[in-house]
Amino acid sequence: MKIAVLGGDGYCGWATALYLSARGHQVAIVDNFVRRQWDHELGAQTLTPIAPLSDRLKVWQRITGHEIENYVGDVCDYDFFAAMVQSFEPEAIVHFAEQRSAPYSMIDRKHAVATQVNNVVGTLNVLFAIKEFAPECHLVKLGTMGEYGTPNIDIEEGYITVEHNGRKDTLPFPKQPGSFYHLSKVHDSHNMMFACKIWGIRATDLNQGVVYGTITDETAMDEALINRFDYDEVFGTVLNRFCAEAAIGHPLTVYGKGGQTRGFLDIRDTVRCIEIACNNPAGRGECRVYNQFTEQFSVLELAHLVAAAGKKMGLEVKVDNLPDPRVEAEQHYYNAKHSKLIDLGLKPHPLSESLLDSLMNIAIKYRDRVDQGLIAPTVNWRSAANPARGRVSVSEPELKGTPERAALVSSND
Amino acid sequence: MKIAVLGGDGYCGWATALYLSARGHQVAIVDNFVRRQWDHELGAQTLTPIAPLSDRLKVWQRITGHEIENYVGDVCDYDFFAAMVQSFEPEAIVHFAEQRSAPYSMIDRKHAVATQVNNVVGTLNVLFAIKEFAPECHLVKLGTMGEYGTPNIDIEEGYITVEHNGRKDTLPFPKQPGSFYHLSKVHDSHNMMFACKIWGIRATDLNQGVVYGTITDETAMDEALINRFDYDEVFGTVLNRFCAEAAIGHPLTVYGKGGQTRGFLDIRDTVRCIEIACNNPAGRGECRVYNQFTEQFSVLELAHLVAAAGKKMGLEVKVDNLPDPRVEAEQHYYNAKHSKLIDLGLKPHPLSESLLDSLMNIAIKYRDRVDQGLIAPTVNWRSAANPARGRVSVSEPELKGTPERAALVSSND
């Protein structure tokens, strides 16, 4: 199958592109490397030294004989993106090309606006390009379990049947996202459902949990294929960050009581879920939603698992309960369904000691690259502006919004 | 009370600003006149000849002695908007400053993107400015009944209590909006709920129905105070458009079967609802939702009411059932609650023959200004690009999205 992986230079995107390529799919990566630029903005670097994409792709071809095409550009640039769709003619588009950090979106107004505009406009462009140039193409879009928030009822997969005043309907599951980033994914989901309805687009919205791990069979083939491993407070997700902290002797940074419960999955399951979604396309006009995670944990449970694994390796691991920089329930009911991908053949990799060992060993191997000053949380949800160490300011906003909008207001300049 | 009316030069905004000023509130209008520019883009003009805002305000002051301050600028320009908040120090901000036409948002990709970016970024700016510079200020934001779509259950006011698998929670009412414009309001609603939660902002989200009428006590005081009356297919809403059609001998343009049922209200109730919301501010952190309409009608019912009123005036009124340019149910269940504003004191003006007569008389008075070529629907929801008569093309999108976003990707140029 011809599959375009948008954001294919990123953490999930890179592992996915290689996995699909290894299975014989014809893969194109579409990326503008903005994720690498955000590292520079934040003064943070992935724990693992990742190679430039051009080098990665050369090594992949040398080792496996599989060529991955490379389209360098911005999904928000419709001329570029539409040309890619017409040139590559994808049967499936896997859309990872979004700003995906909640703390990044909460730094200040500019980062909130940038996140929502980037993600919403990018996804609108993908929908319009499919409608105009590839109407049979199946969109596999990465959402997030964070779209649902933490309701006091079971979370279904995208839709819920509601009985109310003697009548019944199946409706989109109500969304209570917890950051401007998570909100951007909710906006995307609504836009997608509508585009499927009016244009008959095929779409699968994968509400992914928190991904952990870094190694897949493919990224392990050569040092040049190594995947990102983010440990910093902005882009580092909780389990990877805890393992890095344990490895370098930093206390585990539990936010608040640590009762925050979320869905988690191994990156080896991420890549398999994407393939399953691609191999089972949605029907015309169908907007499917799958909850893409394998296990639920509370943050404190994860901290204890990491502490125990560290102890076994001779590490002394302390757990710090820091004031929660986020506004979220620290204790809550959480029960999210996640059977649809398993019904389609997913065989989960449950969280194991060996995975924790592996993550800690990676962190130990690259410990000289760690900047401990990047671990403590500095982005406070309660503040509208969070200036932080090493963070260069982005330039001033101008008057006009996007060029599309600017054209509509130009006579008021 | 000091009240800033964003979009105060528009249809609802102008009537609201005068109504609040007449009641002794200290009013400031914030507007960049982009609504007037869209008229030029579409080659359409309001049926009623509206005066420039500066003239309107001079006449208002001469007649009533009330001064309305005028801040000319774009809510999407944060420097401008934050300066306005710091200078005027509003106790309430009434936010009408959005692109509000569903067909306009469905013209093509550029108009969809422009609508969503304009509305989402504007509302984000309002939320951040309140948080940073006026934390006690009450945001009165115009949403739309169209956020809910047409579910097969009763529509509640913003939230619904759901029982599911033996547990219960009160959650945001699921949203199924029917255009990129309506989607932008759903995005706004989610952003607002979140900002109220994390920052303790006071907000009232008014999900307004379709407004009809043009005259209020205040706009009737002088010809220079006359309000807009849009009859064209893009900005003309259904009842006003039907009355204009009847007056000029054009068949009433019913889309499809006309079974589409919606909530409606007289513009005299719009202005009163806004005052009620301002006089009863939400608590800190509260995001209230009121459904702001007074009666439900199907489109075909309205056509028959207008035809009967026309007949009484000696007009022969034909009804045309055109193919529906929108993707929507033409027959459906519809029962939306709307008691909260009535509980706070709203005394509705139900739709009357005299109102219909008045609208038709206005249309007859200004019939020489009507361009009949602007009435037939040309924006088709099923098409991703709708080039239309008299519509100038907006300039090409460039590469970078908003300036905020551009700053983050600038090294990739």
Side-chain angles (χ1 to χ4, degrees):
Chain A
M1 188 182 295
K2 294 176 80 167
I3 305 176
V5 180
L6 318 183
D9 187 49
Y11 170 54
C12 292
W14 174 239
T16 298
L18 293 191
Y19 183 85
L20 296 173
S21 176
R23 263 137 211 86
H25 298 290
Q26 188 178 336
V27 175
I29 284 177
V30 180
D31 208 297
N32 66 345
F33 310 120
V34 70
R35 175 67 190 86
R36 293 176 187 247
Q37 191 175 338
W38 294 329
D39 280 342
H40 292 300
E41 179 196 347
L42 298 168
Q45 291 295 321
T46 154
L47 180 67
T48 46
I50 57 174
L53 182 61
S54 51
D55 291 356
R56 287 173 149 185
L57 295 181
K58 272 181 227 150
V59 170
W60 178 249
Q61 186 165 8
R62 196 190 69 223
I63 294 175
T64 66
H66 296 301
E67 187 184 1
I68 295 178
E69 284 185 70
N70 182 14
Y71 291 84
V72 178
D74 186 343
V75 175
C76 288
D77 170 4
Y78 191 68
D79 289 344
F80 158 77
F81 188 72
M84 183 283 295
V85 170
Q86 291 168 85
S87 158
F88 181 63
E89 299 181 332
E91 295 160 87
I93 291 176
V94 180
H95 182 16
F96 288 108
E98 301 206 318
Q99 195 298 94
R100 64 102 179 135
S101 160
Y104 189 86
S105 75
M106 300 302 296
I107 291 173
D108 57 17
R109 189 194 66 85
K110 288 174 200 168
H111 289 82
V113 167
T115 297
Q116 293 208 349
V117 171
N118 182 71
N119 294 0
V120 169
V121 175
T123 297
L124 285 173
N125 280 355
V126 172
L127 293 167
F128 273 88
I130 290 175
K131 161 68 174 165
E132 294 202 276
F133 304 113
E136 292 295 336
C137 179
H138 175 211
L139 172 57
V140 178
K141 163 72 165 59
L142 274 289
T144 164
M145 287 300 295
E147 294 185 34
Y148 300 114
T150 55
N152 193 40
I153 59 172
D154 293 344
I155 294 171
E156 301 296 326
E157 301 197 57
Y159 302 90
I160 183 170
T161 299
V162 176
E163 290 197 43
H164 182 55
N165 298 347
R167 302 184 62 87
K168 188 152 89 167
D169 201 357
T170 298
L171 300 169
F173 198 97
K175 302 294 179 72
Q176 298 180 104
S179 74
F180 288 117
Y181 151 71
H182 291 102
L183 282 154
S184 77
K185 295 275 194 181
V186 172
H187 306 342
D188 285 342
S189 295
H190 283 100
N191 284 341
M192 283 170 66
M193 281 187 192
F194 174 68
C196 289
K197 180 182 166 191
I198 63 166
W199 294 334
I201 285 175
R202 309 172 184 275
T204 302
D205 200 354
L206 296 172
N207 283 339
Q208 187 168 242
V210 183
V211 186
Y212 59 79
T214 181
I215 293 175
T216 60
D217 288 347
E218 296 77 26
T219 63
M221 285 182 184
D222 191 284
E223 182 83 12
L225 302 178
I226 199 167
N227 200 356
R228 305 184 65 91
F229 185 128
D230 299 306
Y231 66 91
D232 64 291
E233 55 133 350
V234 174
F235 277 96
T237 46
V238 60
L239 184 62
N240 282 8
R241 194 175 70 237
F242 282 176
C243 288
E245 290 166 352
I248 63 170
H250 191 289
L252 307 190
T253 48
V254 170
Y255 297 167
K257 293 183 191 138
Q260 304 93 327
T261 300
R262 300 290 185 270
F264 288 81
L265 75 164
D266 189 305
I267 193 164
R268 293 171 295 176
D269 291 332
T270 291
V271 300
R272 173 67 179 135
C273 288
I274 301 294
E275 191 194 23
I276 289 171
C278 290
N279 285 343
N280 298 275
R284 287 297 296 262
E286 186 184 7
C287 189
R288 299 187 307 200
V289 184
Y290 297 158
N291 292 346
Q292 179 169 311
F293 72 96
T294 60
E295 294 175 282
Q296 293 186 180
F297 298 99
S298 76
V299 169
L300 198 60
E301 283 172 334
L302 289 179
H304 289 149
L305 287 173
V306 170
K311 192 171 176 188
K312 213 186 46 168
M313 295 173 76
L315 300 167
E316 190 188 346
V317 181
K318 285 205 290 192
V319 175
D320 266 7
N321 287 83
L322 307 175
D324 194 341
R326 306 187 178 203
V327 177
E328 61 187 355
E330 294 177 16
Q331 296 288 350
H332 57 87
Y333 178 75
Y334 199 76
N335 183 35
K337 305 297 175 65
H338 55 110
S339 61
K340 290 187 180 180
L341 284 160
I342 287 167
D343 293 345
L344 289 172
L346 175 66
K347 306 264 182 277
H349 295 81
L351 179 58
S352 65
E353 284 187 27
S354 65
L355 187 281
L356 294 172
D357 291 353
S358 140
L359 280 174
M360 279 190 266
N361 282 325
I362 291 169
I364 290 167
K365 179 174 177 186
Y366 295 109
R367 62 185 304 158
D368 289 349
R369 291 173 54 89
V370 172
D371 179 347
Q372 297 211 17
L374 297 173
I375 292 175
T378 64
V379 180
N380 181 349
W381 263 231
R382 292 163 187 84
S383 167
N386 293 283
R389 191 203 68 78
R391 193 169 288 149
V392 300
S393 79
V394 292
S395 57
E396 276 301 300
E398 292 156 19
L399 298 184
K400 295 192 292 189
T402 60
E404 289 87 348
R405 185 167 179 283
L408 302 181
V409 299
S410 56
S411 75
N412 295 310
D413 283 358
Chain B
M1 188 182 297
K2 294 177 77 164
I3 305 176
V5 180
L6 318 184
D9 187 49
Y11 170 53
C12 292
W14 174 240
T16 298
L18 293 192
Y19 183 86
L20 295 173
S21 176
R23 263 137 211 86
H25 298 290
Q26 187 179 339
V27 175
I29 284 178
V30 180
D31 208 298
N32 66 346
F33 310 119
V34 70
R35 175 68 192 87
R36 293 176 186 247
Q37 191 176 339
W38 294 328
D39 280 343
H40 292 298
E41 180 196 346
L42 298 168
Q45 292 295 322
T46 154
L47 180 67
T48 46
I50 57 175
L53 182 62
S54 51
D55 292 356
R56 288 172 148 186
L57 296 181
K58 272 181 227 148
V59 171
W60 178 249
Q61 184 164 10
R62 196 190 68 225
I63 294 175
T64 65
H66 295 301
E67 187 184 2
I68 295 179
E69 284 186 68
N70 181 13
Y71 290 84
V72 178
D74 186 343
V75 175
C76 288
D77 171 3
Y78 192 68
D79 288 345
F80 158 76
F81 187 73
M84 184 284 294
V85 171
Q86 292 168 86
S87 158
F88 182 64
E89 299 181 334
E91 293 161 88
I93 291 176
V94 180
H95 181 17
F96 287 107
E98 300 207 318
Q99 195 297 96
R100 66 103 179 132
S101 160
Y104 189 86
S105 75
M106 299 303 295
I107 291 173
D108 59 15
R109 188 195 66 85
K110 287 174 200 167
H111 289 81
V113 167
T115 298
Q116 292 208 350
V117 171
N118 182 72
N119 294 1
V120 169
V121 175
T123 297
L124 285 173
N125 280 356
V126 172
L127 293 168
F128 272 88
I130 290 175
K131 161 68 176 167
E132 293 200 277
F133 304 113
E136 292 295 335
C137 178
H138 175 209
L139 172 58
V140 178
K141 162 71 167 58
L142 273 291
T144 164
M145 287 300 294
E147 294 185 33
Y148 299 115
T150 55
N152 193 40
I153 59 172
D154 293 345
I155 294 170
E156 300 296 327
E157 300 197 57
Y159 302 89
I160 183 171
T161 299
V162 176
E163 289 197 41
H164 182 53
N165 299 346
R167 301 183 63 88
K168 189 153 89 168
D169 201 358
T170 298
L171 299 168
F173 197 94
K175 301 294 179 73
Q176 298 180 105
S179 74
F180 288 117
Y181 152 69
H182 290 101
L183 281 155
S184 76
K185 294 276 194 181
V186 172
H187 307 341
D188 284 343
S189 296
H190 283 100
N191 283 342
M192 283 169 67
M193 282 187 192
F194 175 67
C196 289
K197 179 181 165 191
I198 62 167
W199 294 334
I201 285 176
R202 308 172 184 274
T204 302
D205 199 355
L206 296 172
N207 283 338
Q208 187 167 243
V210 184
V211 185
Y212 58 80
T214 181
I215 293 175
T216 60
D217 288 347
E218 296 77 26
T219 63
M221 285 182 183
D222 191 285
E223 182 83 11
L225 301 178
I226 198 167
N227 201 356
R228 302 186 67 90
F229 185 128
D230 299 307
Y231 66 92
D232 63 292
E233 54 133 351
V234 174
F235 278 96
T237 47
V238 60
L239 185 62
N240 282 9
R241 196 175 69 237
F242 282 174
C243 289
E245 290 166 351
I248 63 169
H250 191 289
L252 306 190
T253 48
V254 171
Y255 297 168
K257 295 183 188 137
Q260 304 92 325
T261 300
R262 301 288 185 270
F264 288 81
L265 75 164
D266 189 306
I267 194 165
R268 293 171 294 177
D269 290 332
T270 291
V271 300
R272 173 67 179 134
C273 287
I274 301 293
E275 190 194 24
I276 289 172
C278 290
N279 284 343
N280 296 275
R284 287 297 298 262
E286 188 184 6
C287 187
R288 298 187 307 199
V289 184
Y290 297 158
N291 292 346
Q292 180 168 311
F293 72 96
T294 61
E295 293 174 284
Q296 292 187 178
F297 298 99
S298 75
V299 168
L300 198 60
E301 283 172 334
L302 290 180
H304 290 152
L305 287 173
V306 170
K311 193 172 177 186
K312 213 187 46 172
M313 296 173 76
L315 300 168
E316 190 188 348
V317 181
K318 284 204 292 193
V319 175
D320 266 5
N321 287 82
L322 307 176
D324 194 342
R326 305 186 178 204
V327 177
E328 60 187 357
E330 294 177 16
Q331 296 288 351
H332 56 87
Y333 179 76
Y334 199 77
N335 184 35
K337 305 297 175 64
H338 54 110
S339 61
K340 290 187 179 178
L341 283 160
I342 288 168
D343 292 345
L344 289 173
L346 175 67
K347 305 263 182 275
H349 295 81
L351 180 58
S352 65
E353 285 186 27
S354 66
L355 187 280
L356 294 172
D357 292 353
S358 139
L359 280 174
M360 279 191 266
N361 283 325
I362 291 169
I364 290 166
K365 178 173 178 188
Y366 296 109
R367 62 183 305 156
D368 290 348
R369 291 174 53 88
V370 172
D371 179 346
Q372 296 211 17
L374 296 174
I375 292 175
T378 64
V379 180
N380 182 349
W381 262 230
R382 292 165 187 83
S383 169
N386 293 284
R389 191 202 71 75
R391 193 167 290 146
V392 301
S393 78
V394 292
S395 57
E396 276 302 299
E398 290 157 20
L399 299 185
K400 295 192 293 189
T402 59
E404 289 86 348
R405 187 169 177 282
L408 302 181
V409 298
S410 56
S411 75
N412 295 310
D413 284 357

